[in-house]
Amino acid sequence: MRKNKIIEALKVAFPHTIPIFAAFWCLGLSYGIYMYHLGFSAWYPSLMSLLIFAGSVEFVAGNMLLGAFDPIQALLLTIMINARHLFYGLAMLEPFRNTGFKKVYLIFGMCDESFSINSSAEVPDGVDRGWFMFFVTLLNHLYWFSGATIGGLLGNLLSIKVEGIEFVMVAMFVVIFMESFKKKNQKLSSIIGLFVCFIFLFHSIWKRIFYPCKYGFNYFYFYII
């Protein structure tokens, strides 16, 4: 009876993760290839995808591993990138209650996509929600791990330019935001987030374009004129 209950939860969970499978395999392959071209062997992206399971941090970690050893910077950067998981955890306190030993893995494996499915999916009557959430998390984890591992192994076989390949993470988050924005009734928080992003974008553009122009004009004015 218990075995049938677990299998039924897996059958219900799998269709929910099919879109994630397509996305995670593309992203995972990109990550594995990216790590190879940074100079790492295949077991680096394989182990990192298995033990860290935080896509955006893993992309950043590749460059951090090539730089000087600075654990404080790595810690602070990881907290900044994954600070949203604090709010994910608060939102899932009740759904994770009474899930038993599965709770440890549910907490470890909670990513944006797993959180989105586990917090919003309507689980049919008779299906254990704890096992449903467990298999959603496990399947998504396996998709990412397998994609990153294959990407690391195929990196030496593919002669492609990888400049800008890390932008796939940005593209994924844009899609997640757009889907969430369409479903939410209250859009104020999303609009505030967009406004803050545009402020930082404008500030970055200002520093890159207008600052050099300003100093170039000053040089021209004081030393030439």
Side-chain angles (χ1 to χ4, degrees), residues 205-222:
I205 293 174
W206 178 270
K207 287 182 66 176
R208 289 175 179 270
I209 297 177
F210 293 102
Y211 276 22
C213 292
K214 173 185 173 183
Y215 293 129
F217 175 79
N218 289 342
Y219 177 83
F220 178 79
Y221 181 81
F222 286 110

Side-chain angles (χ1 to χ4, degrees), residues 6-190:
I6 294 173
I7 294 175
E8 185 63 26
L10 174 60
K11 290 180 179 178
V12 174
F14 176 68
H16 288 273
T17 66
I18 292 176
I20 311 302
F21 166 73
F24 270 18
W25 252 49
C26 292
L27 291 169
L29 285 168
S30 301
Y31 169 63
I33 295 171
Y34 175 68
M35 287 292 287
Y36 173 81
H37 283 272
L38 286 179
F40 295 100
S41 58
W43 64 270
Y44 270 90
S46 180
L47 283 179
M48 289 172 67
S49 62
L50 181 65
L51 301 176
I52 299 176
F53 190 38
S56 49
V57 172
E58 290 175 50
F59 272 90
V60 174
N63 286 315
M64 288 195 294
L65 289 172
L66 295 176
F69 179 68
D70 191 345
I72 302 300
Q73 181 189 13
L75 174 64
L76 294 176
L77 188 59
T78 301
I79 292 174
M80 289 175 60
I81 294 174
N82 282 341
R84 65 191 184 281
H85 285 254
L86 296 172
F87 302 98
Y88 293 171
L90 291 173
M92 297 303 289
L93 283 174
E94 187 60 33
F96 285 177
R97 194 184 302 276
N98 300 323
T99 53
F101 70 92
K102 298 183 290 295
K103 181 186 290 187
V104 176
Y105 181 70
L106 289 171
I107 294 172
F108 164 76
M110 184 166 55
C111 59
D112 301 284
E113 295 75 15
S114 297
F115 169 76
S116 177
I117 296 173
N118 288 335
S119 62
S120 61
E122 296 182 3
V123 182
D125 295 335
V127 176
D128 186 278
R129 188 172 186 88
W131 280 111
F132 170 83
M133 295 189 296
F134 175 83
F135 282 119
V136 166
T137 306
L138 178 64
L139 288 169
N140 288 341
H141 194 175
L142 290 175
Y143 300 154
W144 178 256
F145 167 71
S146 58
T149 301
I150 294 173
L153 292 172
L154 295 180
N156 62 332
L157 303 177
L158 301 175
S159 300
I160 60 174
K161 294 183 178 180
V162 297
E163 290 83 358
I165 199 172
E166 65 274 14
F167 186 76
V168 293
M169 292 302 300
V170 179
M172 184 189 71
F173 282 118
V174 169
V175 173
I176 293 173
F177 170 79
M178 291 174 63
E179 291 298 318
S180 176
F181 186 82
K182 288 190 294 184
K183 293 179 181 179
K184 290 174 63 176
N185 294 323
Q186 299 293 333
K187 295 181 169 57
L188 179 60
S189 60
S190 300

